[in-house]
Each structure stands twice: as structure tokens, then as C-alpha cells.
């Protein structure tokens, strides 16, 4: 007990001394004893278990996970609207909403409304598209039931009229999408079951004390990348993944939160990169830089002059700021900023800016988006759709185009 008290007093002395010059105190191997560093590590690991953004994410995916693992039904509402602002070379207005019912892991239904209106500076003719369709996923088969469809591409556009006539033929008829175990509207079954594993791996990575003495560390990182990669295309390959160097640093803010920063250098068969991964109780930052692409001709890694930055910061309990930036040739080509309020209904708003590179011609996209997601337990008075009437094969529709 006396030893622990001595350690705490020593850390307090360092903090008090450091606060006179800076708001942050660093703990390094030269100025911190092994006992002090061990206590800092324990404090950080305890913080991770109490981190609000991890708890909120676990709660958000819990409905999906229970539906898959325990066949517990749930309902969810998702909607968003987006409007391209004056900075954008295109002017689009988009509205999307989905009401989904998951009765079990192999029995789901979704009602989708979609509306888009577009105007281009160089094209005086407007474009309007809207539909309302119900999807039914039942025992590895998916069916669509189109209730409304409309497209307008100009007063005399025959293509739009042909599509309208075609869809009028199948209005309110069941269409077998012939996907064979595919669910194209929401995350698939494997993705839902892997979400808890991603969170577990993230915690495992954050709580790593010494990478060299953790034989499962690289495999955990590789598993996490392989799980996420197919869904958001991180471009990262884990074939022959090698850790070139690593560094872990701790520091403490004036409010007592411990910050942990990993600085890694990785390479694999096709590429290499540096990764700075910083986490605390209130925020998390990921910075990928010095990205090299392997050139077979010169047998070396060549600088791609690209970098990526992602951060999430808790403004107050369960309210977050999220930012993603992609930089190419020192020019910001993507800047996306979210504001998320987590509660019974998750509300989010975002500002998107996608710019073409100076040397590449292209459209500039700038828009604002607002939306919300609600998930709740199954309401037994809901009527689940059933298969009725004639069923049309999707392949038959395509053959008639």
C-alpha cells in the first residue's frame, strides 16, 4: 500500500511540476520508473473500458448482433437528406429513407423511399427520379415489390418514358431478385457478426503494452483490417505484413485523462506506410502517412504522396465530432465532417467536400447532409409482409430491356 502511495505521489509531483509550463505531462522511459509506467498503463486500460464512444458503438450494433446470434427481432428507421451547395459544380437534392424490420437473422423486410433531383450548369434539362419499394429477405432469397417509380429526363426523353412504361408493368408485383443468399440493402450477416470482433480487436490493440512481446498483435491488426477492408476499401493488404518499427508514448492532460500514442511503420508485399494511432477517453485519432507503393521496375517503394487522417472527439456525453481528410500531392481532395448525437435516435449531420486534383479535370462536390437512425425492440403488432401474387424473375426483366 505504501509503495502504491509512493508511486501516486511521484506521478502527482511530475504532474504538478509539468502543469506550470504545459497542459500535458509526458511519461517516457528516461523520466519515468517502470513502476510508474505500469500504473499509467493500468489507468489507461481502465479508461478504455469506460470510454463512451466505444460503449455507444457497442450499444448501436447490439440489435444487429442479437438478431444474428440469438434471433431477437428489432425495428429500425433510417433517413437522410443531402443538398449540394453553391460550391458544387452539380446541383443535386437527395432524400432517402428506410424502415427495416428484422424478425430473425434470415427474415427481414425494408421499405425504401428514394427521391433525387438534379440540375447541371451545362445541361438545362432537369433530372428527377423517385421510387418506393419494399424488399423482403426470406431464407436466403430476396424479393422486391415496387409500389411507385418515376423518372423525368427532359420533355422528349424517350429513354425515361421507356423505363417508366417498363416499371409500370411490374408495379405491385413480387420480383425475385435471384441474389442467392445476398442482402443488398443493409449490412450482410457476416458483417454484423464481425462488428463485436472489431471492437474487441480495437480494445486489444489499445491495451498493448509492448508490441514486440505481444505475438498476437500483428495477427490482431491483420484480422481487423481484413474484416473492415471489404466494406470500406482501405486499400490495405495484409499479405506478408511486417512491422518495421514501433513506439508507444503516454501523456496525461490537465483533467487527468491518459493519452496513448502508437507510432508504427509497416510494410507488406505491395506497399508500406507509417501509422500514428492516438487514443484517450475523449477522442481517437488515426493518421496514415508516408505511403509507398511498390514499383516492380525499380524494386523499391515509391512515395504515393498521399495521406489520410481520421478523428473522433466527444464534445459532451454521447455527442461527437468526426472528421476525415484525404490529401494527395499536398492538396485536400476529401474533407468530411460529421456531428453525431447518440441517443434513442441517433442524429447526424455532415459537410462533404470532394475536390478534383489540379492536374486532373473533374467535378467538384460540396454538400450538406442531415439524417437520423432509430433502433428499437420488435413491436409484435407490426404486420410482416408475406409472399402473395405472381412472382416475376429479375432475369426476365433484364432480358426485356
Amino acid at each position: 500500500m505504501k509503495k502504491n502511495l509512493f508511486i501516486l505521489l511521484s506521478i502527482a509531483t511530475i504532474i504538478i511540476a509539468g502543469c506550470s509550463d504545459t497542459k500535458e505531462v509526458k511519461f517516457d522511459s528516461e523520466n519515468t520508473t517502470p513502476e510508474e509506467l505500469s500504473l499509467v498503463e493500468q489507468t489507461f486500460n481502465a479508461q478504455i473500458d469506460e470510454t463512451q464512444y466505444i460503449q455507444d458503438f457497442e450499444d448501436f450494433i447490439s440489435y444487429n448482433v442479437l438478431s444474428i446470434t440469438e434471433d431477437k427481432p428489432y425495428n429500425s428507421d433510417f433517413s437522410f437528406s443531402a443538398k449540394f451547395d453553391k460550391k458544387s459544380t452539380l446541383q443535386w437534392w437527395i432524400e432517402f429513407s428506410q424502415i427495416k424490420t428484422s424478425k430473425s437473422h434470415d427474415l427481414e423486410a425494408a421499405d425504401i423511399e428514394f427521391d433525387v433531383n438534379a440540375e447541371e450548369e451545362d445541361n438545362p434539362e432537369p433530372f428527377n427520379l423517385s421510387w418506393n419499394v419494399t424488399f423482403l429477405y426470406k431464407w436466403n432469397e430476396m424479393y422486391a415489390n415496387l409500389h411507385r417509380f418515376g423518372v423525368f429526363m427532359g420533355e422528349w426523353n424517350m429513354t425515361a418514358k421507356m423505363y417508366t412504361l417498363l416499371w409500370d408493368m411490374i408495379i405491385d408485383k413480387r420480383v425475385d431478385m435471384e441474389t442467392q443468399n445476398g442482402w443488398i440493402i443493409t449490412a450482410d450477416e457476416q458483417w454484423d457478426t464481425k462488428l463485436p470482433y472489431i471492437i474487441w480487436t480495437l480494445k486489444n490493440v489499445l491495451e498493448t503494452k509492448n508490441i514486440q512481446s505481444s505475438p498476437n498483435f500483428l495477427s490482431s491488426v491483420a484480422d481487423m483490417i481484413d474484416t473492415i477492408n471489404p466494406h470500406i476499401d482501405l486499400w490495405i493488404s495484409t499479405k506478408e505484413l511486417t512491422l518495421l518499427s514501433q513506439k508507444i508514448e503516454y501523456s496525461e492532460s490537465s483533467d487527468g485523462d491518459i493519452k496513448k500514442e502508437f507510432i508504427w511503420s509497416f510494410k507488406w508485399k505491395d506497399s508500406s506506410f507509417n501509422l500514428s494511432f492516438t487514443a484517450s477517453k475523449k477522442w481517437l485519432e488515426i493518421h496514415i502517412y508516408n505511403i509507398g507503393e511498390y514499383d516492380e521496375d525499380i524494386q523499391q517503394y515509391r512515395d504515393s504522396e498521399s495521406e489520410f487522417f481520421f478523428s473522433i472527439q466527444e464534445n459532451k456525453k454521447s455527442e461527437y465530432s468526426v472528421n476525415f481528410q484525404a490529401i494527395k500531392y499536398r492538396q485536400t481532395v476529401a474533407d468530411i465532417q460529421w456531428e453525431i448525437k447518440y441517443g434513442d435516435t441517433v442524429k447526424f449531420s455532415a459537410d462533404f467536400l470532394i475536390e478534383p486534383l489540379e492536374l486532373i479535370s473533374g467535378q467538384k462536390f460540396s454538400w450538406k447532409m442531415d439524417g437520423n437512425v432509430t433502433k428499437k425492440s420488435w413491436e409484435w403488432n407490426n404486420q410482416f409482409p408475406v409472399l402473395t401474387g405472381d412472382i416475376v424473375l429479375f432475369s426476365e426483366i433484364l432480358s426485356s430491356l
Side-chain angles (χ1 to χ4, degrees):
M1 181 68 181
K2 291 182 178 179
K3 183 178 180 181
N4 290 337
L5 180 60
F6 173 77
I7 293 173
L8 288 171
L9 289 174
S10 300
I11 294 177
T13 302
I14 296 173
I15 294 172
I16 293 171
C19 284
S20 60
D21 299 321
T22 178
K23 294 182 180 180
E24 193 173 90
V25 179
K26 288 189 176 181
F27 304 98
D28 53 50
S29 56
E30 295 181 0
N31 301 318
T32 310
T33 66
E35 291 82 3
E36 291 171 340
L37 189 59
S38 176
L39 185 58
V40 171
E41 291 171 344
Q42 292 176 24
T43 303
F44 175 81
N45 292 345
Q47 282 184 182
I48 292 302
D49 291 333
E50 300 173 356
T51 299
Q52 190 66 40
Y53 57 81
I54 293 180
Q55 292 179 0
D56 285 342
F57 186 49
E58 288 177 321
D59 183 61
F60 182 75
I61 68 172
S62 61
Y63 287 101
N64 304 65
V65 175
L66 289 175
S67 175
I68 297 297
T69 58
E70 301 181 19
D71 269 2
K72 289 190 175 181
Y74 73 97
N75 301 323
S76 66
D77 295 348
F78 168 64
S79 65
F80 75 86
S81 61
K83 184 176 182 179
F84 285 63
D85 59 31
K86 294 180 179 179
K87 298 177 183 178
S88 177
T89 54
L90 295 180
Q91 294 299 302
W92 285 20
W93 298 266
I94 302 172
E95 292 185 354
F96 177 88
S97 66
Q98 171 186 287
I99 301 175
K100 175 186 171 185
T101 300
S102 175
K103 196 170 183 179
S104 65
H105 73 277
D106 57 2
L107 192 59
E108 297 179 353
D111 188 64
I112 294 175
E113 290 272 0
F114 178 82
D115 292 280
V116 58
N117 296 276
E119 294 180 2
E120 296 186 43
E121 294 178 355
D122 299 330
N123 186 357
E125 293 187 345
F127 172 78
N128 309 105
L129 174 66
S130 64
W131 69 67
N132 170 237
V133 60
T134 297
F135 285 93
L136 174 64
Y137 176 63
K138 185 175 183 180
W139 304 325
N140 297 334
E141 298 289 346
M142 187 169 68
Y143 306 88
N145 193 345
L146 188 66
H147 307 294
R148 174 177 57 82
F149 178 87
V151 59
F152 180 76
M153 302 168 61
E155 189 66 29
W156 302 103
N157 193 295
M158 295 305 297
T159 302
K161 292 185 177 181
M162 288 178 61
Y163 276 106
T164 301
L165 290 173
L166 173 64
W167 295 119
D168 283 344
M169 296 171 59
I170 60 171
I171 288 292
D172 292 325
K173 292 182 179 179
R174 288 286 181 185
V175 178
D176 186 345
M177 301 301 291
E178 302 178 89
T179 55
Q180 300 298 322
N181 199 25
W183 183 216
I184 62 174
I185 304 304
T186 57
D188 58 39
E189 178 178 327
Q190 291 183 344
W191 174 240
D192 282 342
T193 55
K194 287 182 178 179
L195 283 173
Y197 178 73
I198 293 175
I199 296 175
W200 177 86
T201 308
L202 174 61
K203 289 183 177 179
N204 185 50
V205 170
L206 290 177
E207 295 175 2
T208 300
K209 296 181 179 179
N210 189 317
I211 295 172
Q212 304 295 348
S213 62
S214 302
N216 296 325
F217 173 77
L218 275 183
S219 61
S220 296
V221 173
D223 287 346
M224 185 165 63
I225 292 173
D226 285 340
T227 302
I228 300 174
N229 226 12
H231 301 277
I232 61 176
D233 191 14
L234 289 175
W235 55 260
I236 295 175
S237 168
T238 56
K239 295 179 180 179
E240 302 178 19
L241 182 66
T242 304
L243 178 65
L244 299 179
S245 64
Q246 63 92 12
K247 184 179 180 181
I248 299 178
E249 294 182 344
Y250 290 92
S251 60
E252 184 174 17
S253 62
S254 58
D255 60 2
D257 284 344
I258 302 296
K259 180 184 77 175
K260 185 175 185 178
E261 181 178 11
F262 300 87
I263 302 174
W264 299 316
S265 179
F266 289 101
K267 78 170 184 179
W268 62 87
K269 184 177 181 180
D270 302 318
S271 187
S272 64
F273 69 101
N274 286 2
L275 173 63
S276 171
F277 185 13
T278 310
S280 76
K281 191 174 181 179
K282 297 292 185 181
W283 48 269
L284 182 148
E285 292 181 353
I286 300 173
H287 186 200
I288 303 175
Y289 57 100
N290 289 344
I291 301 169
E293 298 174 348
Y294 192 75
D295 192 322
E296 291 284 353
D297 296 331
I298 61 176
Q299 296 291 300
Q300 291 181 5
Y301 292 98
R302 185 168 55 185
D303 187 4
S304 66
E305 299 190 50
S306 301
E307 60 181 309
F308 302 90
F309 176 83
F310 172 84
S311 69
I312 178 170
Q313 180 175 353
E314 185 179 5
N315 303 324
K316 57 183 180 179
K317 187 174 181 180
S318 297
E319 293 189 13
Y320 308 100
S321 296
V322 183
N323 183 39
F324 172 80
Q325 282 188 324
I327 300 172
K328 185 78 171 180
Y329 303 128
R330 299 183 181 179
Q331 177 183 342
T332 299
V333 294
D335 187 359
I336 305 172
Q337 299 179 20
W338 292 270
E339 293 290 336
I340 301 175
K341 295 182 179 180
Y342 185 83
D344 294 334
T345 297
V346 181
K347 298 180 179 179
F348 60 90
S349 59
D351 293 337
F352 288 75
L353 177 62
I354 311 295
E355 296 192 73
L357 294 174
E358 293 179 356
L359 301 178
I360 304 174
S361 61
Q363 303 283 5
K364 177 180 179 180
F365 302 98
S366 177
W367 72 95
K368 298 182 182 296
M369 184 176 73
D370 294 284
N372 59 77
V373 182
T374 301
K375 292 188 177 184
K376 55 188 177 181
S377 299
W378 166 270
E379 297 178 0
W380 292 104
N381 58 345
N382 286 0
Q383 294 294 320
F384 200 82
V386 295
L387 288 173
T388 57
D390 296 333
I391 296 178
V392 181
L393 297 179
F394 186 64
S395 57
E396 295 176 352
I397 299 174
L398 292 179
S399 62
S400 63
L401 294 179

